[in-house]
Amino acid sequence: MSVKASWDIFCAVVDNFGDIGVTWRLARQLVAEHDQRVRLWVDDLETFVRLCPTASASAAQQWHEQVEIRHWTKDWQAAEPADVVIEAFACELPPAYIAAMADSGRRILWLNLEYLSAEDWVVGCHALPSMQPDGLHKYFFFPGFEQGTGGLLREGDLLDRRDAFRNDPQHREALLGSFGIELQPGAQLISLFAYENAAIPGWLDVLAAGPKTTQLLIPEGRVLGDVARWLGVGELGAGAQHQRGSLHIAVLPFMTQNQYDQLLWCCDFNAVRGEESFIRAQWAGRPLVWHIYPQEEDAHWDKLDAFFELYSGDLAPAATDALRAFWRAWNDGVGSGEAWCAMQQHQMMLQLHAERWTHKQVANGDLAGKLVFFYTDWLGSVPVSSAAAP
Ligand code: TRH
């Protein structure tokens, strides 16, 4: 049984939407499914507003979906620390807040929620303590794809909602219709969310020349420049629609996380990026390609390979090779058109595999549930004498 606790989640927005995307989703789930009290400290409210359009970009304090949102500014104002404190992605907590945790005399669990990786060292590092000089209890918490990790964020009713959405074609029509998009008969639907990507022109060439009608749905973002250059138009914004051969391109506005989930559910194939959209596409249970966030010294290739090994573990060798070739082409920009065409021969198998993978991940539990369990377990196991003394 879980206890009702207060949580402070700290989020420093480094770049893009991944940091706030993960913490906002986690905060909502802790409240809605685990009855926890959550404050989310965000240093960049403008980015938050993109995900939560009803929010204010200037309020010091506001509530959305029963999560208290606090603007985390440089001039830190004293705040009573929560029972569980999460620093997301190794962001640095205000020193005065750490001092207040140590001085509180309460049992406070401090967690560093790490970036997602499928590398094999993750299982060994998940839930390890990090010694603190002031008697505080801090642990590393790693999301992941295997049993011994913290799992992935997934709402309890997500797959039921997904299936209900898919079982009634009117939902798909309504969603796309709300963006002014009409479904082309017999078309395959593909969503595209990526960084600037040299693989785009070669891929669009084969889609335009292909035997099948394709509808490519692109939420506004960094990849639009590549698409605009390929189309030979100056700029692309939400509402733009173009056709080249068999390819229909539509630009959508940046939407809420729930709408974006629905977009992924609509599509036969999803191109995703970063960390959060990558996970959401896995819950969609459809074949995908991952544009991984590029890191210094090409460290991202190890992460990409590690995930691919895990993902393709029980996939037939020919389909594995074809999928690997496309993922590599997508991330190094070379040969995307040929690799896409070769992969089409394995479409059915990749579809079945994507569904199997979703079920396998569901069996691993979910990140919010594992965090709550970790806290409850820790509360029961930490001797009072070793908790931070007043
Ligand atoms: O925005 P990202 O590129 O974020 C990245 C990664 O998280 C990366 O690991 C991190 O190091 C870097 O930021 C700093 O991609 P990601 O992770 O997929 O986050 C996008 C979020 O935006 C996700 O929560 C889904 C959401 N989203 C919407 O809500 N609406 C939309 O229209 C789209 C396209 C995405």
Side-chain angles (χ1 to χ4, degrees):
M1 215 188 76
S2 65
V3 289
K4 183 160 180 158
S6 58
W7 299 61
D8 271 333
I9 304 177
F10 286 84
C11 172
V13 176
V14 178
D15 195 7
N16 303 308
F17 301 101
D19 311 290
I20 186 63
V22 168
T23 50
W24 171 227
R25 194 184 296 285
L26 170 63
R28 283 181 293 160
Q29 198 184 345
L30 286 171
V31 170
E33 294 183 18
H34 299 281
D35 202 21
Q36 307 294 299
R37 288 191 309 278
V38 182
R39 257 187 323 205
L40 174 58
W41 299 85
V42 190
D43 67 347
D44 174 355
L45 286 176
E46 279 178 15
T47 303
F48 175 64
V49 168
R50 296 292 305 281
L51 297 190
C52 179
T54 54
S56 152
S58 55
Q61 184 184 33
Q62 55 190 312
W63 278 264
H64 296 278
E65 302 192 37
Q66 297 180 57
V67 176
E68 182 181 346
I69 310 292
R70 287 287 194 98
H71 192 193
W72 178 12
T73 53
K74 287 203 172 63
D75 56 331
W76 177 256
Q77 308 289 314
E80 176 70 20
D83 301 324
V84 189
V85 178
I86 296 183
E87 56 182 36
F89 313 121
C91 67
E92 279 181 33
L93 299 188
Y97 184 89
I98 299 176
M101 283 160 73
D103 291 346
S104 72
R106 293 161 36 222
R107 291 165 145 201
I108 294 178
L109 175 63
W110 179 5
L111 299 169
N112 180 15
L113 177 62
E114 292 283 349
Y115 282 112
L116 177 66
S117 174
E119 289 161 295
D120 50 14
W121 53 263
V122 165
V123 175
C125 293
H126 172 59
L128 284 184
S130 155
M131 298 303 287
Q132 298 300 306
D134 39 21
L136 288 167
H137 294 254
K138 181 174 175 182
Y139 294 83
F140 297 103
F141 208 91
F142 281 85
F145 304 94
E146 293 181 276
Q147 276 292 342
T149 69
L152 303 173
L153 276 178
R154 175 178 47 78
E155 297 80 5
D157 63 351
L158 180 72
L159 298 195
D160 288 343
R161 282 192 286 120
R162 180 197 73 178
D163 294 342
F165 181 93
R166 280 203 181 130
N167 288 340
D168 183 349
Q170 284 185 359
H171 291 311
R172 185 167 82 155
E173 274 166 43
L175 179 77
L176 299 179
S178 72
F179 299 120
I181 298 165
E182 223 176 275
L183 282 165
Q184 303 295 321
Q188 65 173 343
L189 262 58
I190 301 180
S191 76
L192 171 60
F193 183 45
Y195 307 111
E196 296 77 9
N197 188 335
I200 296 295
W203 181 58
L204 296 182
D205 283 345
V206 297
L207 291 178
K212 222 189 257 178
T213 304
T214 299
Q215 281 188 271
L216 184 62
L217 308 169
I218 318 176
E220 274 185 313
R222 290 171 53 177
V223 76
L224 281 183
D226 293 306
V227 178
R229 268 186 298 282
W230 181 82
L231 283 166
V233 298
E235 246 183 38
L236 283 174
Q241 298 201 13
H242 293 269
Q243 186 186 350
R244 297 285 184 277
S246 320
L247 175 62
H248 297 249
I249 293 176
V251 181
L252 284 65
F254 193 87
M255 53 200 92
T256 64
Q257 286 183 321
N258 286 345
Q259 284 175 311
Y260 180 60
D261 273 339
Q262 294 181 345
L263 179 71
L264 296 171
W265 302 341
C266 285
C267 289
D268 303 295
F269 187 90
N270 292 301
V272 285
R273 75 182 202 192
E275 169 163 340
E276 234 280 312
S277 56
F278 172 51
I279 298 168
R280 303 314 281 185
Q282 292 173 49
W283 299 137
R286 294 275 160 85
L288 67 137
V289 66
W290 182 25
H291 196 186
I292 191 167
Y293 186 77
Q295 285 177 293
E296 279 171 23
E297 296 173 13
D298 281 348
H300 55 284
W301 283 105
D302 288 341
K303 280 178 89 169
L304 187 82
D305 290 344
F307 176 77
F308 193 85
E309 286 312 309
L310 218 52
Y311 182 74
S312 61
D314 53 356
L315 182 62
T320 300
D321 291 346
L323 186 65
R324 182 189 288 114
F326 184 62
W327 278 39
R328 290 205 78 82
W330 196 250
N331 282 280
D332 69 14
V334 183
S336 55
E338 299 85 328
W340 172 261
C341 294
M343 197 177 70
Q344 295 314 294
Q345 293 163 24
H346 306 280
Q347 205 182 15
M348 189 55 80
M349 193 171 282
L350 291 172
Q351 168 58 51
L352 293 173
H353 184 72
E355 284 168 28
R356 269 204 309 273
W357 174 259
T358 304
H359 292 302
K360 203 163 156 183
Q361 289 308 312
V362 168
N364 280 346
D366 73 281
L367 185 81
K370 287 192 177 206
L371 278 167
V372 171
F373 179 81
F374 189 82
Y375 175 60
T376 311
D377 199 44
W378 173 83
L379 261 191
S381 65
V382 176
V384 177
S385 57
S386 73

